């Protein structure tokens, strides 16, 4: 099956800093989602982005499907951004494979 | 929109008992629902894909007789952990993909199961 690698595994930022999270995948994908898992375990949809670039407030994402990677940008980070960020591409309709995640800690 | 609920949010049970977890799509119909399992500080592992009106498709290594899945309607799927044991303790999360959509999944809040 598809292999998904996320980097870095852990990231500590000072509030206000910017960051880039990376997701590499080993196969062609039909779609790709980015999620934020909050401390209570809820997964929050950030982006549905099989290709191209999208922006939503301080967050943006870019997927280059031909090169098999996706990037999540967080600008002007806030303490509420802390949590685990997962990317989840899928090669078969609706069957996603999750990466190991990036644990982000934003310090005040 | 695209809200998914799970019930219960947490459950503690004795070894040998069965536990049923419900997953509902509240404001959309979902032809397909998914069940995941997550251990502490680990990623989500897909357990099974549930399609309305048909049998679930289980991932390799997941015991179908242990984890019974029923997708009785376009808004409800249930996962029953039968004869639960301490090693079944985990965080169980469901997701749903809107019918006719592009495949984007929306997740429930999860159910934390502790088997004593």
């Amino acid at each position: 099956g598809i292999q998904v690698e996320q980097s870095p595994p852990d990231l500590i930022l000072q509030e206000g800093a910017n960051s880039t999270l990376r997701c590499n995948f080993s196969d062609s994908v039909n779609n790709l989602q980015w999620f934020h898992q909050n401390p209570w375990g809820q997964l929050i949809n950030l982006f549905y982005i099989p290709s191209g670039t999208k922006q939503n407030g301080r967050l943006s994402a870019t997927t280059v499907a031909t090169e098999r990677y996706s990037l999540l940008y967080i600008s002007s980070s806030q303490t509420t951004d802390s949590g685990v960020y997962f990317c989840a591409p899928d090669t078969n309709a609706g069957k996603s494979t999750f990466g190991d995640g990036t644990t982000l800690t934003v310090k005040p | 929109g695209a809200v998914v609920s799970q019930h219960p949010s947490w459950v503690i049970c004795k070894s040998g008992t069965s536990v049923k977890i419900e997953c509902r799509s509240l404001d959309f119909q979902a032809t397909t629902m998914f069940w995941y399992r997550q251990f502490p500080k680990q990623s989500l592992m897909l357990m099974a894909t549930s399609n309305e009106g048909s049998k679930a498709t289980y991932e390799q290594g997941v015991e179908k007789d242990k984890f019974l899945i029923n997708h009785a309607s376009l808004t409800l799927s249930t996962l029953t952990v039968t004869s639960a044991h301490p090693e079944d303790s985990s965080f169980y999360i469901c997701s749903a993909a809107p019918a006719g959509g592009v495949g984007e999944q929306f997740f429930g809040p999860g159910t934390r199961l502790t088997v004593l």
Side-chain angles (χ1 to χ4, degrees):
Chain A
I2 188 171
Q3 303 300 311
V4 183
E5 290 185 7
Q6 290 189 243
S7 60
D10 298 282
L11 184 59
I12 300 174
L13 298 175
Q14 207 64 38
E15 199 169 27
N18 303 328
S19 63
T20 301
L21 281 58
R22 187 177 180 101
C23 173
N24 292 334
F25 42 93
S26 62
D27 206 346
S28 302
V29 299
N30 290 334
N31 65 61
L32 184 145
Q33 291 187 252
W34 281 97
F35 299 94
H36 174 213
Q37 188 171 37
N38 67 22
W40 298 272
Q42 173 75 63
L43 280 112
I44 300 163
N45 290 44
L46 297 178
F47 293 101
Y48 168 82
I49 184 164
S51 64
T53 297
K54 291 185 178 179
Q55 180 155 8
N56 185 3
R58 297 182 295 105
L59 273 59
S60 64
T62 296
T63 297
V64 183
T66 53
E67 297 187 21
R68 300 182 182 172
Y69 72 88
S70 184
L71 302 174
L72 177 69
Y73 306 95
I74 304 174
S75 65
S76 302
S77 58
Q78 300 176 357
T79 56
T80 52
D81 294 332
S82 296
V84 184
Y85 289 81
F86 290 105
C87 74
D90 80 59
T91 54
N92 299 308
K95 186 173 171 178
S96 298
T97 299
F98 278 72
D100 287 340
T102 292
T103 300
L104 174 65
T105 303
V106 181
K107 295 188 172 181
Chain B
V3 178
V4 178
S5 70
Q6 268 184 255
H7 178 80
S9 54
W10 59 270
V11 57
I12 302 173
C13 68
K14 292 182 178 180
S15 187
T17 60
S18 295
V19 175
K20 180 185 282 188
I21 302 169
E22 291 188 350
C23 177
R24 293 181 185 272
S25 55
L26 298 185
D27 52 2
F28 65 97
Q29 293 186 329
T31 311
T32 305
M33 291 184 172
F34 304 89
W35 288 95
Y36 295 83
R37 184 173 182 176
Q38 186 180 32
F39 290 108
K41 299 193 181 299
Q42 293 189 21
S43 187
L44 279 75
M45 297 300 296
L46 179 65
M47 298 175 65
T49 302
S50 167
N51 291 294
E52 186 265 340
S54 63
K55 291 184 178 180
T57 303
Y58 291 81
E59 294 300 301
Q60 192 171 7
V62 177
E63 300 175 57
K64 58 182 66 177
D65 294 331
K66 173 76 169 176
F67 300 99
L68 300 179
I69 292 172
N70 184 288
H71 193 156
S73 76
L74 288 173
T75 60
L76 173 64
S77 177
T78 60
L79 167 69
T80 301
V81 183
T82 63
S83 186
H85 289 94
E87 58 266 30
D88 298 324
S89 298
S90 189
F91 190 53
Y92 293 88
I93 313 173
C94 73
S95 71
V102 296
E104 186 174 4
Q105 293 182 44
F106 298 89
F107 282 78
T111 296
R112 199 163 302 278
L113 171 64
T114 302
V115 185
L116 302 177

